[in-house]
């Protein structure tokens, strides 16, 4: 169900958790063309000090976008998404996005949010999303 701007106020919060699939970086590589070995070869990821294969940043960002569009109930409502990639995300991690409504101006709703892995490590910081709700 589509969320309406009149139902939202500054200070409201929402949270969503998604699991990263074991093969998510490989699937995403196929969709995006990003076959950098740090994403698809765990041994290469270890060799360069990442501890294994890591998820593509844009895929991580997509998880945060989905948290927002699920909350809005309308994927077309998302107008802008800005994030800072703070730490790597690994296959089989859980990503929890916690957002606070920063402002509501007319039908434009802005959130500030962070995303953490299952250990509480912030993987996305200084993040902002903007919606145009009905």
């Amino acid at each position: 169900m589509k969320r309406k701007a009149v139902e939202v106020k500054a200070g409201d919060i929402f949270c969503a958790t998604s699991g990263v699939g074991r093969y998510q970086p490989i699937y995403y590589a196929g969709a995006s063309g990003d076959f950098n070995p740090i994403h698809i070869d765990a041994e290469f990821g270890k060799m360069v000090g990442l501890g294994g294969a890591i998820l593509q940043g844009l895929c991580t960002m997509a998880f945060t976008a989905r948290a927002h569009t699920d909350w809005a109930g309308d994927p077309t409502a998302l107008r802008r998404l800005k994030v800072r990639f703070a730490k790597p995300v690994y296959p089989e991690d859980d990503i929890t996005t916690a957002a606070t409504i920063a402002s509501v101006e007319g039908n434009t709703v802005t959130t500030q949010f962070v995303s953490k892995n299952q250990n509480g490590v912030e993987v996305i910081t200084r993040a902002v999303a903007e919606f145009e709700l009905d």
Side-chain angles (χ1 to χ4, degrees):
M1 187 164 88
K2 288 184 176 182
R3 193 171 301 272
K4 297 188 182 311
V6 296
E7 301 169 343
V8 180
K9 64 181 182 311
D12 287 353
I13 58 172
F14 65 92
C15 179
T17 300
S18 296
V20 177
R22 180 180 207 174
Y23 301 108
Q24 192 83 45
I26 295 167
Y27 299 148
Y28 192 81
S32 68
D34 184 353
F35 288 94
N36 186 321
I38 64 172
H39 302 304
I40 58 174
D41 184 339
E43 292 305 315
F44 186 85
K46 289 177 186 171
M47 185 177 72
V48 298
L50 294 171
I54 62 170
L55 191 63
Q56 292 88 345
L58 291 179
C59 189
T60 301
M61 189 172 165
F63 277 97
T64 67
R66 185 171 63 196
H68 282 79
T69 58
D70 286 353
W71 173 82
D74 178 7
T76 67
L78 184 61
R79 296 289 188 251
R80 183 171 72 99
L81 190 63
K82 175 184 166 191
V83 304
R84 176 181 176 270
F85 302 109
K87 294 286 183 184
V89 172
Y90 296 91
E92 302 185 87
D93 273 359
D94 290 325
I95 301 171
T96 298
T97 297
T100 302
I101 306 300
S103 67
V104 180
E105 296 177 16
N107 289 347
T108 302
V109 176
T110 303
T111 70
Q112 295 179 335
F113 67 96
V114 297
S115 297
K116 297 179 181 179
N117 68 14
Q118 68 282 357
N119 298 316
V121 175
E122 292 183 346
V123 296
I124 296 283
T125 61
R126 300 185 204 160
V128 175
E130 185 178 289
F131 296 90
E132 191 70 27
L133 299 180
D134 289 337

